């Protein structure tokens, strides 16, 4: 069972602020869910969860627009927040020492509603960026690492274009081409749709 809540707010980094719409993904069944990227509006996310148990609030990375509802949603649901610790510097910009998370590691598995989500560390957009891969249902939740049309942005602090290209090439484009990619913003895509464009992205990015 897969559901999406689109929430709106702002993304701020390096002294700039931009309006953004975020995809918040709910994965699970009629009893329990995992929330991927609690953005902007904890109330709207909690409403969509309903009476189900939230097993975890997983942050694909710690840019403020992906975590700014995580603490409130955790307070509402009792669910732990999960984040790769390489994003501590970004987490601290939002929460300081006021909110704790449980560290995520590459290869970790999060079980929910009969689905196993495998953590894939994909640094580049952020040092601790991760994707979540569910091989049984052939789905990848890519956060801001891979979008329809190319890699996530790398023009701001704590990001690296060569690193995100390496992550996508070695960790994501090796997945089955039929894998559906659900992104942190905008429309979904597939590995097969994006893989042929790798060299074009590299040329464009330099």
């Amino acid at each position: 069972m897969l559901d999406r809540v689109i929430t709106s707010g702002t993304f701020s980094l390096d002294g700039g602020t931009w309006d953004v719409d975020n995809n918040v993904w709910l994965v699970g069944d009629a009893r329990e869910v995992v929330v991927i990227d609690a953005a902007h509006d904890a109330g709207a996310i909690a409403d969509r969860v309903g009476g189900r148990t939230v097993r975890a609030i997983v942050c694909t990375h710690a840019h403020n627009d992906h975590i700014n509802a995580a603490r409130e949603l955790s307070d509402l649901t009792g669910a732990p927040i999960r984040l790769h610790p390489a994003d501590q510097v970004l987490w601290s910009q939002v929460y300081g020492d006021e909110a704790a998370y449980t560290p995520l590691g590459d290869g970790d598995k999060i079980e929910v509603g009969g689905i196993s989500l495998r953590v894939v560390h994909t640094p580049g957009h952020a040092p601790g960026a991760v994707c979540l891969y569910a091989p049984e249902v052939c789905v990848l939740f890519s956060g801001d690492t891979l979008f329809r049309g190319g890699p996530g942005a790398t023009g701001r602090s704590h990001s690296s274009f060569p690193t995100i290209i390496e992550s996508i090439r070695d960790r994501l484009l090796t997945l089955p081409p039929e894998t559906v990619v659900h992104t942190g913003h905008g429309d979904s895509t597939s590995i097969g749709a994006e893989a042929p464009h790798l060299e074009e992205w590299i040329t464009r990015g330099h």
Side-chain angles (χ1 to χ4, degrees):
M1 183 183 214
L2 175 65
D3 200 2
R4 175 175 68 163
V5 182
I6 300 175
T7 59
S8 300
T10 58
F11 164 56
S12 298
L13 189 65
D14 297 339
T17 297
W18 301 265
D19 293 329
V20 286
D21 296 327
N22 286 61
N23 295 327
V24 181
W25 298 99
L26 278 60
V27 185
D29 59 16
R31 298 174 296 107
E32 60 181 15
V33 294
V34 164
V35 175
I36 302 172
D37 287 341
H40 307 306
D41 191 338
I45 301 166
D47 287 347
R48 191 67 62 90
V49 169
R52 292 176 289 179
T53 299
V54 179
R55 291 294 176 200
I57 300 162
V58 181
C59 309
T60 61
H61 62 293
H63 283 153
N64 74 291
D65 60 316
H66 288 256
I67 66 170
N68 55 11
R71 181 175 61 178
E72 184 180 352
L73 187 64
S74 178
D75 289 344
L76 287 171
T77 63
I81 300 168
R82 305 292 307 275
L83 175 73
H84 194 288
D87 263 11
Q88 175 64 41
V89 62
L90 293 167
W91 178 266
S92 296
Q93 291 177 13
V94 177
Y95 290 117
D97 297 325
E98 296 177 3
Y101 59 84
T102 302
L104 281 176
D106 185 63
D108 287 356
K109 290 185 178 179
I110 300 170
E111 310 284 343
V112 62
I115 296 171
S116 180
L117 297 168
R118 190 179 84 215
V119 176
V120 184
H121 184 210
T122 52
H125 181 69
V130 301
C131 299
L132 300 173
Y133 178 47
E136 299 92 345
V137 291
C138 211
V139 166
L140 178 80
F141 298 93
S142 64
D144 286 3
T145 294
L146 179 63
F147 291 106
R148 174 180 279 187
T154 53
R156 302 188 183 101
S157 295
H158 313 295
S159 66
S160 164
F161 180 75
T163 303
I164 201 172
I165 289 295
E166 181 180 357
S167 292
I168 292 170
R169 182 187 63 224
D170 297 346
R171 309 300 311 273
L172 301 186
L173 299 187
T174 53
L175 298 175
E178 64 271 20
T179 303
V180 176
V181 179
H182 293 310
T183 61
H185 308 270
D187 296 332
S188 298
T189 183
S190 70
I191 293 297
E194 302 306 325
H197 303 293
L198 178 64
E199 294 304 323
E200 172 193 333
W201 303 336
I202 293 172
T203 301
R204 190 173 70 203
H206 281 296

